[in-house]
Amino acid sequence: MTRVDNSLTEMIVGKWIHADTDGETVTTDMKSVYTFEKNGDALKGYYSMSMTESGVWAYNQEPT
């Protein structure tokens, strides 16, 4: 877990969807979702993304 400034934590907590890159819309099967949760002073992040080769979604994976 990473400790961060509370003002930043309050702004980033929630679910974020990567919908475009450089102004170009990302196709549905390439979208990724980033979820940030606050537990006390700690901020934890997860990502979910489409694994287009396999057609499977990686769900709530912690970054390594």
Side-chain angles (χ1 to χ4, degrees):
M1 285 194 252
T2 305
R3 295 197 181 279
V4 296
D5 175 38
N6 280 335
S7 60
L8 174 62
T9 301
E10 297 304 322
M11 290 186 295
I12 199 169
V13 167
K15 198 169 288 254
W16 300 79
I17 297 174
H18 179 187
D20 69 79
T21 300
D22 296 328
E24 297 293 321
T25 302
V26 177
T27 61
T28 301
D29 62 345
M30 295 294 290
K31 284 191 166 69
S32 46
V33 178
Y34 304 91
T35 304
F36 295 94
E37 300 173 349
K38 183 179 176 190
N39 183 0
D41 288 336
L43 179 68
K44 193 156 196 172
Y46 303 92
Y47 68 90
S48 300
M49 65 184 288
S50 172
M51 309 294 229
T52 56
E53 306 82 36
S54 64
V56 174
W57 270 80
Y59 182 70
N60 273 358
Q61 299 293 310
E62 292 188 48
T64 54

